[in-house]
Amino acid sequence: MTVGYGERVALEAVDLEVATGSLLAVVGPNGAGKSTLLKVICGLLQPWRGKVETLGKEPGRLAKRVAYVPQAEAVDWDFPVTVADVVMMGRYPGLGRLRRPGPLDRRQVSDALGQVDMLEHRGTQIGRLSGGQRRRVFLARALAAEPDLFLMDEPVTGIDATTQEELMDLLESVAAGGRTVIATTHDLACAAARFQTVLAINRRVVAHGPASLILDPDLLAQTYGGHLLTLGGQTVVLDDAHHHEETPHQVHYHEEAPRRR
Amino acid sequence: MEPLLEPLGFPFFVRALIASVLVGVICAVVGSYVVLKGLAFIGDAISHAAFPGIVAAFILGGSFYIGAGIAAVGTSLAITWVSRRGGLRLDTTIGVLFAGTFALGIFLYSTIEGYVGDLFHLLFGYVLGISAEDLMALVLLGGAVLFLVAVLWKELLYSTFDPLAAAASGIPVARLEYVFIALVAVTIVVSLQAVGIVLVVAMLVTPAATAQLMTARFGRMMLGAILVGSGSAVAGLYLSFWFDVASGASIVLVQTGAFLAALLLGPKSGLLARTARARLDPQPTMRPVRPAAGLAPPTAQSVATTTHPMTPTGEQAAPIDPSLR
């Protein structure tokens, strides 16, 4: 499969199969095509060449069984909705036209909020939440949709270690339940420690295999190229978690990046 | 009571009252989405684009609504189409079409010999002159708009808040955008008689913006917008009757007054609330956690951990405190 934006190729000759029930981390430098891959899988982007199947059908055909969680910067945090309202949106596609959410939907919303430990914040306007809490709410929205496939764009970027561990525990149990999780991440330590499999891409597939692969220096060099710096035996990836291609006019900032003291 | 009841003895006033309350309600409902989608400028452009349609309808002897409707819906769909193609910024496209269509209206208007009468009413509204047929058209078209919003309520809300996730979950976001912008166009056309081309954007934006200052729930925001929109329609119309001033301008001025009041007194942006908060809690933003005396000063290692490798230099970490918004 090959795909791109305008004239620019973003992913080239990607040949990939993800098994049901996988917990897959997609890693690679900025502009490697990580987010693009997710968008192709959920049908937001049409491949230029080649064929993609999601849950055995054309991407987008089974959209209700797929939950896509975009990067946190993509929404207006001043929007007048509460935590519970946002999670309820996960139920909307399954409801069909004209149907209003019922008791079952409200129960699903409460369940999902309970799973991410956000029940007590259900009535809070989303802009008043911390960065980690926002990620929890978006994961809860995905859970409330009861999908078979979770596509998460940077679910653990820029949040505190505790939240990261809790979110990963949840994703782990989702995958253990036979559902598939594909998450992009910049956090290689997290990818190696908490995911089952890893896909290293840099416009092409560099490697796809068990998560321990990512600790191989040769593979890192191939994936990250010039973004890599070796310091006294330790490899440091010089890269940041920015994506400007979607919303060039929006100001975005780092939630819960370390505060200046 | 007399000053309140007296105007109700005039059929034209009753018609005008019904018309402006209806316009207030329809504009508030559609305007709530317009404000959240950031489409205020598009609303202004569509209303100006209706002008050549109205003039053409007059010259050809056709219906006001059909002329204005074709021009407004056509322009709105053209704006959406051009903006989805990309290549130009949306506000640039709007600026070009906005002025171009309005110029076409003035051009057409100037070909009508010795005809000036209704221009003022077209530009600034004349709800007191609304006919029974026009009121009927307003009820039908406005009802259709409200019905469609009721049907599409949750899809519109989801695709306004998070279009990417909504599209990925199977909601036809692109088609909804066309439908919504056509709804905006119809709303504007039915509102023209009440407030005119120049002021109609206020009917769309001001009540919804006022309500957004008062609440953090979408449902309540829409309800608040309806109250502000219909309430100021009634108040503005009475003002216009009592003091013999322009009806559209009176309605918009009452709305603007409500907006300023919400700005000053509202719970979120409220300047009074903010100063009260500041007095209670002089430093609400950041409480630096200083290491207690006796603890080791920050080492090189701890400095390295606070300089997040993913935070490029020069970009400030944003404080999360809501009182800063």
Side-chain angles (χ1 to χ4, degrees), chain B residues 188-207:
Chain B
I188 285 170
V189 169
V190 302
S191 311
L192 285 181
Q193 185 113 32
V195 281
I197 287 165
V198 180
L199 296 179
V200 70
V201 70
M203 294 296 284
L204 274 177
V205 173
T206 311

Side-chain angles (χ1 to χ4, degrees), chain B residues 50-71 105-119 121-122:
Chain B
F51 187 47
I54 297 167
V55 179
F58 177 82
I59 294 173
L60 301 172
S63 152
F64 166 92
Y65 283 104
I66 293 174
I70 291 173
I106 296 167
F107 178 85
L108 287 175
Y109 197 87
S110 66
T111 65
I112 308 173
E113 228 169 289
Y115 181 80
V116 245
D118 275 350
L119 182 60
H121 292 159
L122 274 181

Side-chain angles (χ1 to χ4, degrees), chain A residues 78 80 82 96 99-100 141 258, chain B residues 150 154 162 216-218 306 325:
Chain A
D78 283 330
T82 62
R99 288 246 336 262
R100 291 286 151 93
R141 184 179 70 187
Chain B
K154 59 184 191 304
D162 192 346
R217 300 293 301 267
F218 181 69
T306 51
R325 321 185 144 263

Side-chain angles (χ1 to χ4, degrees), chain A:
Chain A
M1 177 272 295
T2 296
V3 69
Y5 303 90
E7 305 270 286
R8 189 172 60 87
V9 177
L11 281 171
E12 206 171 0
V14 171
D15 189 359
L16 176 70
E17 192 167 336
V18 182
T20 307
S22 301
L23 180 54
L24 172 70
V26 181
V27 302
N30 264 353
K34 299 189 295 294
S35 303
T36 305
L37 181 65
L38 295 190
K39 285 182 192 160
V40 170
I41 296 173
C42 66
L44 286 178
L45 267 180
Q46 296 292 322
W48 288 355
R49 284 186 293 281
K51 191 166 179 254
V52 180
E53 280 192 356
T54 304
L55 302 171
K57 289 268 165 43
E58 201 183 315
R61 184 64 63 80
L62 298 174
K64 286 169 195 168
R65 288 169 55 196
V66 178
Y68 168 61
V69 181
Q71 289 184 34
E73 290 86 0
V75 307
D76 168 14
W77 293 102
D78 283 330
F79 206 91
V81 282
T82 62
V83 165
D85 293 337
V86 172
V87 178
M88 184 60 88
M89 289 179 193
R91 304 289 303 167
Y92 285 176
L95 276 173
R97 286 284 146 72
L98 279 174
R99 288 246 336 262
R100 291 286 151 93
L104 173 70
D105 301 299
R106 280 192 282 278
R107 198 160 58 238
Q108 293 286 355
V109 167
S110 297
D111 278 0
L113 280 173
Q115 285 184 62
V116 299
D117 200 17
M118 286 291 289
L119 252 184
E120 57 177 314
H121 298 286
R122 59 185 313 156
T124 308
Q125 197 268 331
I126 49 160
R128 307 182 79 93
L129 302 174
S130 72
Q133 289 173 327
R134 293 173 182 187
R135 285 322 148 84
R136 288 170 192 259
V137 172
F138 275 72
L139 177 57
R141 184 179 70 187
L143 289 168
E146 302 183 284
D148 295 316
L149 173 61
F150 288 74
L151 301 171
M152 324 255 323
D153 210 346
E154 301 287 346
V156 295
T157 299
I159 56 178
D160 60 281
T162 322
T163 306
Q164 182 169 333
E165 287 302 306
E166 284 172 15
L167 291 189
M168 284 315 301
D169 287 346
L170 250 174
L171 292 180
E172 214 162 58
S173 70
V174 162
R179 298 186 281 178
T180 311
V181 178
I182 304 178
T184 66
T185 183
H186 274 80
D187 190 333
L188 295 181
C190 177
R194 300 301 310 261
F195 284 81
Q196 291 160 3
T197 47
V198 69
L199 172 72
I201 57 173
N202 193 353
R203 291 173 190 269
R204 292 165 173 275
V205 173
V206 179
H208 181 200
S212 53
L213 264 184
I214 201 62
L215 300 175
D216 173 6
D218 290 342
L219 183 94
L220 279 177
Q222 271 184 56
T223 311
Y224 285 89
H227 298 275
L228 222 55
L229 175 70
T230 309
L231 282 173
Q234 280 202 319
T235 307
V236 179
V237 176
L238 299 177
D239 199 15
D240 68 75
H242 275 68
H243 284 244
H244 291 291
E245 62 192 34
E246 279 173 337
T247 48
H249 310 307
Q250 268 181 351
V251 181
H252 76 269
Y253 37 74
H254 299 267
E255 303 299 340
E256 286 210 343
R259 301 182 185 196
R260 306 290 136 110
R261 291 194 170 150

